[in-house]
Amino acid sequence: MSENNSLLSVRNLSVSFFAEEGVVRAAHKVSFSIKTSQTFGLVGESGCGKSSVALSIMRLIPANQGQIVGGEIAFDGQNLLELSEKQMRRIRGNKIAIVFQEPTASLNPVYTVGDQIAEAIMLHKNKDKTQAWKAAVEMLRKVGIKEPQQRISQYPHQMSGGMQQRAIIAIATSCEPALLIADEPTTALDMIVQTQILNLLDELQKQTGMSILLITHDLGIAAERADEVAVMYASRIVEKADPRLLFSKPLHPYTEGLLKALPRLGQSTKRLETIPGTVAEPMYLPSGCKFHPRCRTGCHDKHCQTFEPELKEVEPARWVACWHAPGYQ
Amino acid sequence: MIVPTLLGITVIVFAISRIAPGDPVSSHISSRGEFDVKKTIDVRKERLKLYGLDKPIHIQYVNWLWRVTRLDFGQSVKHNRPVIKLIADRLPITLTLNLIALVFIYAISLPTGVLAAVKHGRFFDRAISVFFLVLWSLPIMWVGQMLIGYFAGPAFKSWFPPAGISSIYADRLSFFQWLFDRLWHLALPVVCLTYTGFAYLSKQVRAEMLENLSMDYVRTARAKGLPESAVIFRHVFRNSLVPVITITASLFPAVFAGSVIVEKIFSIPGMGLLMFEAVANRDYNVVMALATIAGILNMIALLLADIAYALADPRVTFEGNT
Amino acid sequence: MGKQKEKKAIWGTTLGEFVQQQFVKRPINMVSLVCMALLALMAVIAPVLANNKPLMIRIEGKLHFPLFQNLSPADYCIFLAATVGFLLLLLIRRNHSNLEPSVRGAVLFRQLCLSCTIILIGSPLIFIFVPRRLEAADYKAMIAENKADYAVFAPIPYGYDRTDLMSRNLSPCRTHWLGTDDVGADVLCRLIHGSRTSLSVGLVAAGISTLIGIALGSIFGYFGGKVDFIGMRIVEMVMAIPTFFLIITFVAFFPRSLLSIIVIIGITTWTGTARLVRAEFLKLRKQDFIQAAVSLALPLRSTIFKHMLPNCIGPILVNAAFGFAGAIFAEAALSFLGFGVAPPTPSWGQMLSSGVTTTGRFLWWLTLFPGLAIFLTVMLCNLIGEGLRDAFDPRLKNAI
């Protein structure tokens, strides 16, 4: 627990991946912090680097695929990047847990659901098999699966997608982590199940007081569920604020463009507004501000083309990285 | 599904024997019948009738099939004994040899495959790949003959016996000595039978492991905080085993067929050697019997592999395929 | 060259070119391919490399060319086939640089038909017009008796059917570089001529098995339903008997000759390719572009050959390469057991079997060299097969 009551504090995190063409910077000087019992939303398009941030916090990036090249991740008084692998393993699944996008692929098809939940419990809580199974049944009940006694000995392929995701949430929360990272937890599910899962996460948060890092590309989900939202573009955070402020009065042209592109009920215009241009290629990012080729003001501005703006606090609890944002020096 | 295939095996074997030019009877009479043409024709007709070869072909097949179901494969022309007795003598030896070979193949390939996958891209992996490719290309008869020449003969080293499965004085030995003697005799043949198998299987294990290593559930396992060894063995390996079991289905016939050459080289009195002799001596009954039995054994092995697969993979039920 | 690049830019890269680029990337592939070509070359010009008769001999002032005069019609046929094949390869290269991709298939087909016709018409003609000469003139004796002025022999001056009972079972020495076998024939010479046997069996048998596999597999896969069900049962029946056992069973009942060996190996090893093609066809049938072709009432021939088969060509080629290796191995195994080609036709397997005499004597040169020949040939085919597999699916490069 360091200053500002924050549970997790990420400062200047930079992550690189090794691709065939060369080294790609997936996240560059990403900084944010999450308080206890807070839901932090990280939004952005596919490929902007949100998942890399999640994997870096857990240090789950395989050494032959990429590495963390800079920054510091302060969690519960420790810098996660300085821990040994053994110490990190005690945190994974225990203090910090993660839920991924594809529930079907994330469960091992040859073991029962109960086995997979009990595995985590036995690992961290020092229980034996019978106790772990009892706890697993209890977890299934908590995540809202009916008849947990029967479901516990079923295999993943015998469950629906929504139930599988609940099972994964059960695995993740079985050891009562302080932080739950949810990397696009509902993208592979249909709308109704989506709401159910998100409600479940909310409930678990109320019960256990854990924080949630909610990664999504859906602005609506972020607006509804998060207490603070950061928008990522081309491996950088471009704006960070309370969602009510962020979505009612966006300061960064990218956020503005995103919001304008959303179709609204009662909208009479025939054509949707789009952000001109295409997403920057991770290998060939433009100089200066990464968004400038697509920005109405930035594409003509020499300053935007040469110098990259840093994320600065322009109002209390409002951060933006844009030369032309009001109050930005 | 099994019964039609079994029937099919018999059809194929029977068809091969009948498509061939010539008939089994000609060889019986050619040495005697040159001088009296009419008598030759009469004798020939009688012989054909004796063997039932004058009936239409589908009746011949049914007759043969009926006899086969009662395990009556006829008489061996060379040995003058019922074929089934010959096979019964030889079958246990070949099966023992094959089973030992299979056990060794699995015992060696599984660890090497897993290691190669875990150390993917590094020296061990590359070296093993090259080594196994070379092994796979080595012809069995060459290896067998070289082994005999260099390790079982007077020319070089004499560490192993060159032929047979037991020494002459075997019946005078105690049980353990007899067992050791047996194994000593079987050592070289087993080496010959296994090396191709484990080159192939190890490659498959490695490929499966590599594919499973990049699966999402492995990421989940790591995210739980499991140590890497548990991830590899409890998750990746366990999942890789499943398709590897089906490979037994193709491994068994390969090892069994290899027995023919290995038993001939090492003079092991098994089914392979019997097949070799039967073909060399044109002992048709034995050849047909052996082909049929080989097919049946293969089907049993396939069936066992299927059952094992269904047991290992919970997604497969007993009713049908996935 | 600028025009070339322009053309390339418009045409893009076809699958064939892509595979070629991937194949060439790894040096081991090119090395194997070159070695294979050299082996094929050696097999084609075998009678010129190793022959009893001298290339050129001068008797009483007149030049004779006994070796060339005594080439058998079969040798000429092989020369013809090799030349046609080589010219075809050159033509294909020209196709790739001059024609646009969509017409290459049809043009190639026409060229293939033309070459097959040339070979098929040329062979009987050769057999009719080239006399089979049984020249008993013993040139070596003539030279020994100084009847000839000078003579130029082939690099290995022994014939493969030479029997010289004076020099049986000699270990390698200066006159016989790799030794002799039990009837006195030079081992090196028989190795070279044996490559003809092995390569021809490998090529034709693999060709037959691939063609049968493609034909059956496409029928089962395309029609599906009942046809597929019955077809798969047949495939299972054939696969139920271990392949080598099946081959030996055939061999037991049929007379032994080179042709029967080739046909037998061809008709017992098609199951792998058939299963592959059937699986691909079943998958392709459901795909939209095939359904579109069918709905446009394209003729069946066109759908199968132009749309479906080219998608399967990768696995088919890979299987063909491994089938080639397997056929060579099967022929060697059969000859080793004594069921293959009979002497004097040279065969590596048969030479290998004479490495251990009936009295148990181990003749290392008769075991090492033929075995090495089989091993190297099979390994070359395996390397090429692996290279093709990696070239067609670079993802699988991780799973060597």
Side-chain angles (χ1 to χ4, degrees), chain A residues 76-106:
Chain A
D76 207 18
Q78 293 172 304
N79 183 0
L80 292 182
L81 299 180
E82 284 169 6
L83 293 182
S84 72
E85 183 62 24
K86 196 156 169 216
Q87 291 167 312
M88 198 63 215
R89 279 208 291 266
R90 259 184 260 136
I91 296 192
R92 282 190 207 129
N94 198 4
K95 304 263 175 53
I96 311 181
I98 185 165
V99 174
F100 292 107
Q101 181 173 344
E102 292 272 356
T104 320
S106 302

Coordinates of all heavy atoms in Angstrom, one line a residue, chain A residues 76-106:
Chain A
D76 N 1.4 -3.8 -4.0 CA 1.4 -4.2 -2.6 C 2.8 -4.0 -2.0 O 3.3 -4.8 -1.3 CB 1.0 -5.7 -2.5 CG 0.5 -6.0 -1.1 OD1 0.0 -5.1 -0.4 OD2 0.5 -7.2 -0.7
G77 N 3.4 -2.9 -2.4 CA 4.7 -2.5 -1.8 C 5.9 -3.2 -2.5 O 7.1 -2.9 -2.2
Q78 N 5.7 -4.0 -3.5 CA 6.8 -4.6 -4.2 C 6.8 -4.2 -5.7 O 5.8 -3.9 -6.2 CB 6.7 -6.2 -4.2 CG 6.9 -6.8 -2.8 CD 6.5 -8.2 -2.9 OE1 5.4 -8.6 -3.3 NE2 7.4 -9.1 -2.5
N79 N 8.0 -4.2 -6.2 CA 8.1 -4.0 -7.7 C 8.1 -5.4 -8.3 O 9.0 -6.1 -8.3 CB 9.4 -3.3 -8.0 CG 9.5 -3.0 -9.5 OD1 8.6 -3.3 -10.3 ND2 10.6 -2.3 -10.0
L80 N 7.0 -5.6 -9.0 CA 6.8 -6.9 -9.6 C 7.9 -7.3 -10.6 O 8.2 -8.5 -10.8 CB 5.4 -7.0 -10.3 CG 4.2 -7.0 -9.4 CD1 3.0 -7.1 -10.3 CD2 4.3 -8.0 -8.3
L81 N 8.5 -6.3 -11.2 CA 9.5 -6.6 -12.2 C 10.8 -7.0 -11.6 O 11.7 -7.6 -12.3 CB 9.7 -5.4 -13.1 CG 8.5 -4.9 -13.9 CD1 8.8 -3.7 -14.8 CD2 8.0 -6.0 -14.8
E82 N 10.9 -6.9 -10.3 CA 12.2 -7.3 -9.7 C 12.1 -8.6 -9.0 O 13.1 -9.1 -8.5 CB 12.6 -6.2 -8.7 CG 13.2 -5.0 -9.3 CD 13.4 -3.9 -8.3 OE1 13.2 -4.1 -7.1 OE2 13.8 -2.8 -8.7
L83 N 10.9 -9.2 -8.9 CA 10.7 -10.4 -8.2 C 11.3 -11.6 -9.0 O 11.4 -11.5 -10.2 CB 9.2 -10.7 -8.0 CG 8.5 -9.7 -7.0 CD1 7.1 -10.2 -6.9 CD2 9.2 -9.8 -5.7
S84 N 11.7 -12.6 -8.3 CA 12.2 -13.8 -9.0 C 10.9 -14.6 -9.5 O 9.8 -14.3 -9.1 CB 12.9 -14.7 -8.0 OG 12.0 -15.3 -7.1
E85 N 11.2 -15.5 -10.4 CA 10.1 -16.3 -11.0 C 9.3 -17.0 -9.9 O 8.1 -17.1 -9.9 CB 10.7 -17.3 -12.0 CG 9.7 -18.1 -12.7 CD 8.7 -17.3 -13.5 OE1 9.0 -16.2 -13.9 OE2 7.6 -17.8 -13.8
K86 N 10.1 -17.5 -8.9 CA 9.4 -18.3 -7.8 C 8.5 -17.4 -7.0 O 7.3 -17.7 -6.7 CB 10.5 -18.9 -6.9 CG 10.0 -19.9 -6.0 CD 11.1 -20.9 -5.5 CE 10.6 -21.8 -4.4 NZ 11.6 -22.0 -3.4
Q87 N 8.9 -16.2 -6.7 CA 8.1 -15.2 -6.0 C 6.9 -14.8 -6.8 O 5.8 -14.7 -6.3 CB 8.9 -14.0 -5.6 CG 10.0 -14.3 -4.6 CD 10.9 -13.1 -4.4 OE1 11.4 -12.6 -5.4 NE2 11.2 -12.7 -3.2
M88 N 7.1 -14.6 -8.1 CA 6.1 -14.2 -9.0 C 5.0 -15.3 -9.0 O 3.8 -15.0 -9.1 CB 6.6 -14.0 -10.4 CG 5.8 -13.2 -11.3 SD 5.5 -11.5 -10.7 CE 3.9 -11.3 -11.3
R89 N 5.4 -16.6 -9.0 CA 4.4 -17.7 -9.1 C 3.5 -17.6 -7.9 O 2.4 -18.1 -7.9 CB 5.1 -19.0 -9.1 CG 5.6 -19.3 -10.5 CD 5.7 -20.8 -10.7 NE 6.7 -21.4 -9.9 CZ 8.0 -21.6 -10.3 NH1 8.3 -21.3 -11.5 NH2 8.9 -22.2 -9.5
R90 N 4.0 -17.1 -6.7 CA 3.2 -17.1 -5.5 C 2.2 -16.0 -5.7 O 1.2 -16.0 -5.0 CB 4.1 -16.9 -4.3 CG 4.3 -18.2 -3.6 CD 5.0 -18.0 -2.3 NE 6.4 -18.4 -2.5 CZ 7.4 -17.7 -2.0 NH1 7.2 -16.6 -1.3 NH2 8.7 -18.0 -2.2
I91 N 2.4 -15.1 -6.5 CA 1.5 -14.0 -6.7 C 0.4 -14.4 -7.8 O -0.8 -14.0 -7.6 CB 2.2 -12.7 -7.1 CG1 3.1 -12.3 -6.0 CG2 1.2 -11.6 -7.5 CD1 3.6 -10.9 -6.1
R92 N 0.9 -15.0 -8.8 CA -0.1 -15.4 -9.9 C -1.2 -16.3 -9.4 O -0.9 -17.3 -8.8 CB 0.7 -16.1 -11.0 CG 1.5 -15.2 -11.9 CD 2.0 -16.0 -13.1 NE 3.2 -15.4 -13.5 CZ 4.4 -16.0 -13.8 NH1 4.4 -17.3 -13.6 NH2 5.4 -15.4 -14.2
G93 N -2.4 -16.0 -9.7 CA -3.5 -16.9 -9.3 C -3.8 -16.7 -7.8 O -4.9 -17.1 -7.4
N94 N -3.0 -16.0 -7.1 CA -3.2 -15.9 -5.7 C -3.5 -14.5 -5.3 O -4.6 -14.2 -4.7 CB -1.9 -16.3 -5.0 CG -2.1 -16.6 -3.5 OD1 -3.2 -16.6 -3.0 ND2 -1.0 -16.9 -2.8
K95 N -2.6 -13.5 -5.6 CA -2.9 -12.1 -5.3 C -3.4 -11.4 -6.6 O -4.2 -10.5 -6.5 CB -1.6 -11.5 -4.9 CG -1.0 -12.1 -3.7 CD -1.4 -11.4 -2.4 CE -0.9 -12.0 -1.2 NZ 0.6 -12.3 -1.2
I96 N -2.9 -11.8 -7.7 CA -3.4 -11.2 -9.0 C -3.8 -12.4 -9.9 O -3.1 -13.4 -10.0 CB -2.3 -10.5 -9.7 CG1 -1.6 -9.5 -8.8 CG2 -2.9 -9.7 -10.9 CD1 -0.5 -8.7 -9.5
A97 N -5.0 -12.3 -10.4 CA -5.5 -13.3 -11.3 C -6.0 -12.7 -12.6 O -6.2 -11.5 -12.7 CB -6.7 -14.1 -10.6
I98 N -6.1 -13.5 -13.6 CA -6.4 -13.0 -14.9 C -7.5 -13.9 -15.6 O -7.5 -15.1 -15.4 CB -5.2 -12.9 -15.8 CG1 -5.5 -12.2 -17.1 CG2 -4.5 -14.2 -16.0 CD1 -4.3 -11.7 -17.9
V99 N -8.4 -13.3 -16.3 CA -9.4 -14.0 -17.0 C -9.3 -13.6 -18.5 O -9.2 -12.4 -18.8 CB -10.8 -13.6 -16.5 CG1 -11.9 -14.2 -17.4 CG2 -11.0 -14.1 -15.1
F100 N -9.2 -14.5 -19.4 CA -9.0 -14.3 -20.8 C -10.2 -14.3 -21.6 O -11.3 -14.5 -21.2 CB -8.0 -15.3 -21.4 CG -6.6 -15.1 -20.8 CD1 -6.1 -16.1 -19.9 CD2 -5.8 -14.1 -21.2 CE1 -4.8 -16.0 -19.4 CE2 -4.5 -14.0 -20.7 CZ -4.0 -14.9 -19.8
Q101 N -10.0 -14.0 -22.9 CA -11.1 -13.8 -23.8 C -11.9 -15.1 -24.2 O -13.1 -15.1 -24.2 CB -10.6 -13.1 -25.1 CG -11.6 -12.8 -26.1 CD -11.0 -11.9 -27.2 OE1 -9.9 -11.4 -27.1 NE2 -11.7 -11.9 -28.3
E102 N -11.2 -16.1 -24.6 CA -11.9 -17.3 -25.2 C -12.0 -18.3 -24.1 O -11.1 -19.0 -23.8 CB -11.1 -17.9 -26.3 CG -11.0 -17.0 -27.5 CD -12.2 -17.3 -28.5 OE1 -12.9 -18.2 -28.2 OE2 -12.3 -16.6 -29.5
P103 N -13.2 -18.5 -23.5 CA -13.4 -19.4 -22.4 C -13.2 -20.8 -22.8 O -12.6 -21.6 -22.1 CB -14.8 -19.2 -21.9 CG -15.5 -18.5 -23.0 CD -14.5 -17.7 -23.8
T104 N -13.6 -21.2 -24.0 CA -13.5 -22.6 -24.4 C -12.0 -23.0 -24.5 O -11.6 -24.1 -24.1 CB -14.2 -22.8 -25.8 OG1 -15.4 -22.1 -25.8 CG2 -14.4 -24.3 -26.0
A105 N -11.2 -22.1 -25.1 CA -9.8 -22.5 -25.3 C -9.0 -22.4 -24.0 O -8.0 -23.0 -23.9 CB -9.2 -21.5 -26.4
S106 N -9.5 -21.6 -23.1 CA -8.8 -21.4 -21.9 C -8.9 -22.5 -20.9 O -8.2 -22.6 -19.9 CB -9.2 -20.1 -21.2 OG -9.0 -19.0 -22.1

